[in-house]
Amino acid sequence: MTEPSSRPQLHLGLFFTGVGPQLIWTDPDAPSHTAIETFVDVVQTLERGLFDAFFLGEGLRVRENRGRIFALDVAGRPDAITQLSALAAATERIGLVATQNTTYNYPADLARRLAGLDLLTGGRAGWNIVTTDNAWTGANFRHGGWLEHERRYDRAGQFVDAAKELWSSSRPVERNTDLVRFRATATVPASPQGRPVLFQAGDSDGGRELAARHADVVFSANTEYGKAVAYAADLRNRLARHGRSPDSLRILPGASVVLGDTPSEAEEKARWVRGEQINGPRAIAFLEQYWGTDLSAYDPDGPLPDIEPSEDELDPSRGTISVAHRTGKAALIRKWRELAAERGLSIRQLVLEVAPGHPAFTGTPSAVADEWTRYVTTRAVDGFNIVPHLLPSSVTDIVDKLVPELQSRGVYRTEYRGTTLRDHLDLPPRAD
């Protein structure tokens, strides 16, 4: 066993998304994104690259488009805890993190299933805590939208409080609030790390407070260096208000990585990736969410729709736009029209400009390693949660080309120094 490096160490996870355009699953060389063999190959490659964890995204209902399966998304993925249990048998060290929803799950039941995964893996499990106000998802549970935006975080806080008490107690645990009601006793013994590691994402005030109070790891959308520094400062101030040390939480922004042997090769590849992610049908689907209208008759390579947007949502079953954009979409569309007119942009060209995406680190392995070294040594971040764009190449590129560059700079492990996910993240002893 080697001694830890004196330099801050970069932590890496990989987030396998459930829906969305990030992963180019339609490429002819892409493997099946529902076959267990694909996931085994990916997670074993990550373990060879000494990644901290593999994160599995999950939705509680397959997205549809006006009553039919939404053809632009992968459908048919198993429950995350079930799938990660299968991957546990194919791995030895890497952490396995399940995305699980606090809005519609039940605390005692979910706490038991997560504790079971943690025990089966020998202390390698994590829980990515998410909420939703999507009424279409809620219809699966006879709840509809159920909770307002910030109230989702009230329930999440109560939910996680209850789960943590269940994991640490052998006595009955009871909750009787307006959002969480149950009486239960834990039925699964603790794993070597005590309880699953808690992950959380959310950039609103409620999301940041939930992270500061409960999370061991937080996903951030603030990847640009200046924003990352400001986010880290804000979150660490919040930790202090909750009586937690700055080192009790790891910050891992989501990011994509596009590598090339030369800067120009990397830039060319990045343009191809973005173009594949925002193809013609996806560009139309993106605008439909804002126009609130069926735009399938419009040419993605033609001008923007010449009709005014509707106040209604076209189909919330496909997911909803952000709260800010729901109330300000008319002004946003006016801005897009001005941009398209000024630059002569088609629908697809506009969407390529304005559609959000995980910020990409693009360049040679050496250049990206230099940039990441600056991020981690200044504690702007503790690492990155990588969103792959193409399997298996985007994963093997990182493991075979970028990881050795990070190791040569002394900011990335050369072997696992522990057996649990908490060990990999270098987290201090639990206080709960």
Side-chain angles (χ1 to χ4, degrees):
M1 183 176 294
T2 60
E3 290 299 315
S5 168
S6 59
R7 304 191 76 183
Q9 295 292 286
L10 190 80
H11 299 279
L12 292 179
L14 185 130
F15 183 50
F16 203 112
T17 56
V19 297
Q22 299 90 350
L23 198 54
I24 306 169
W25 60 272
T26 54
D27 187 86
D29 295 329
S32 167
H33 288 193
T34 58
I36 188 62
E37 292 82 7
T38 300
F39 291 87
V40 169
D41 180 62
V42 168
V43 78
Q44 289 179 341
T45 300
L46 296 174
E47 190 167 68
R48 178 168 62 82
L50 305 174
F51 271 52
D52 290 62
F54 172 75
F55 303 83
L56 195 60
E58 185 178 58
L60 293 175
R61 184 169 174 175
V62 174
R63 293 205 298 177
E64 298 176 8
N65 186 34
R66 284 162 282 179
R68 302 180 66 181
I69 298 298
F70 188 43
L72 299 180
D73 280 344
V74 175
R77 183 165 297 163
D79 166 74
I81 293 176
T82 303
Q83 190 158 3
L84 293 177
S85 297
L87 295 180
T91 56
E92 296 180 356
R93 294 293 187 89
I94 191 168
L96 301 169
V97 183
T99 299
Q100 297 288 295
N101 193 295
T102 60
T103 306
Y104 298 115
N105 276 301
Y106 292 95
D109 172 65
L110 182 57
R112 181 178 184 275
R113 290 189 289 121
L114 288 165
L117 178 65
D118 201 30
L119 185 66
L120 286 172
T121 60
R124 294 191 282 138
W127 172 20
N128 179 27
I129 304 161
V130 297
T131 68
T132 185
D133 62 355
N134 187 316
W136 177 77
T137 298
N140 251 19
F141 304 89
R142 297 187 295 177
H143 273 302
W146 189 34
L147 294 174
E148 297 176 359
H149 184 77
E150 290 303 319
R151 286 291 277 164
R152 294 179 300 149
Y153 290 110
D154 293 338
R155 174 169 164 87
Q158 295 177 30
F159 193 118
V160 178
D161 265 334
K164 288 164 75 173
E165 186 174 352
L166 274 167
W167 290 328
S168 63
S169 176
S170 59
R171 295 179 300 215
V173 174
E174 187 167 359
R175 288 288 188 277
N176 189 25
T177 73
D178 61 329
L179 296 176
V180 173
R181 296 181 183 181
F182 73 92
R183 186 176 189 277
T185 304
T187 59
V188 180
S191 78
Q193 68 176 0
R195 62 157 172 78
V197 174
L198 302 180
F199 296 75
Q200 195 270 334
D203 204 32
S204 68
D205 186 72
R208 293 188 187 204
E209 279 298 299
L210 180 64
R213 183 178 176 187
H214 288 296
D216 301 305
V217 182
V218 64
F219 302 149
S220 162
N222 299 285
T223 307
E224 187 273 326
Y225 184 78
K227 292 181 179 179
V229 170
Y231 178 84
D234 176 72
L235 201 56
R236 287 167 185 149
N237 285 335
R238 292 173 189 257
L239 287 172
R241 294 202 297 270
H242 288 282
R244 298 179 62 189
S245 72
D247 206 41
S248 64
L249 181 71
R250 297 284 173 258
I251 301 173
L252 274 64
S256 64
V257 181
V258 181
L259 301 175
D261 292 335
T262 65
S264 60
E265 180 185 310
E267 291 293 341
E268 183 180 351
K269 186 187 293 186
R271 285 191 293 271
W272 176 84
V273 168
R274 182 68 169 164
E276 290 294 308
Q277 291 172 335
I278 308 295
N279 56 26
R282 281 203 180 277
I284 293 294
F286 177 84
L287 284 197
E288 284 181 335
Q289 297 293 87
Y290 291 85
W291 254 260
T293 302
D294 182 354
L295 301 178
S296 58
Y298 284 83
D299 180 0
D301 294 315
L304 264 62
D306 53 2
I307 58 175
E308 291 305 308
S310 166
E311 291 299 318
D312 299 326
E313 285 187 281
L314 175 63
D315 192 341
S317 70
R318 272 170 35 188
T320 57
I321 59 178
S322 70
V323 173
H325 284 171
R326 287 179 217 172
T327 57
K329 68 178 185 179
L332 184 66
I333 288 171
R334 282 196 301 272
K335 183 178 177 181
W336 287 350
R337 286 192 191 280
E338 292 169 1
L339 177 62
E342 177 186 340
R343 295 176 51 185
L345 301 178
S346 67
I347 289 175
R348 183 164 177 265
Q349 288 169 332
L350 174 78
V351 175
L352 283 167
E353 289 281 334
V354 302
H358 286 86
F361 289 91
T362 301
T364 64
S366 177
V368 173
D370 284 342
E371 193 170 9
W372 282 11
T373 298
R374 178 171 74 108
Y375 273 66
V376 73
T377 55
T378 58
R379 292 303 303 279
V381 305
D382 296 299
F384 295 98
N385 196 33
I386 295 167
V387 181
H389 55 266
L390 186 63
L391 297 178
S393 61
S394 62
V395 176
T396 55
D397 276 355
I398 293 169
V399 169
D400 294 336
K401 299 176 181 179
L402 181 54
V403 163
E405 293 284 351
L406 295 167
Q407 290 170 329
S408 72
R409 289 158 176 75
V411 295
Y412 194 76
R413 63 171 66 96
T414 56
E415 65 178 342
Y416 288 114
R417 291 193 294 268
T419 61
T420 70
L421 178 52
R422 197 170 188 89
D423 290 337
H424 304 339
L425 291 162
D426 295 324
L427 288 167
R430 286 174 34 245
D432 53 68

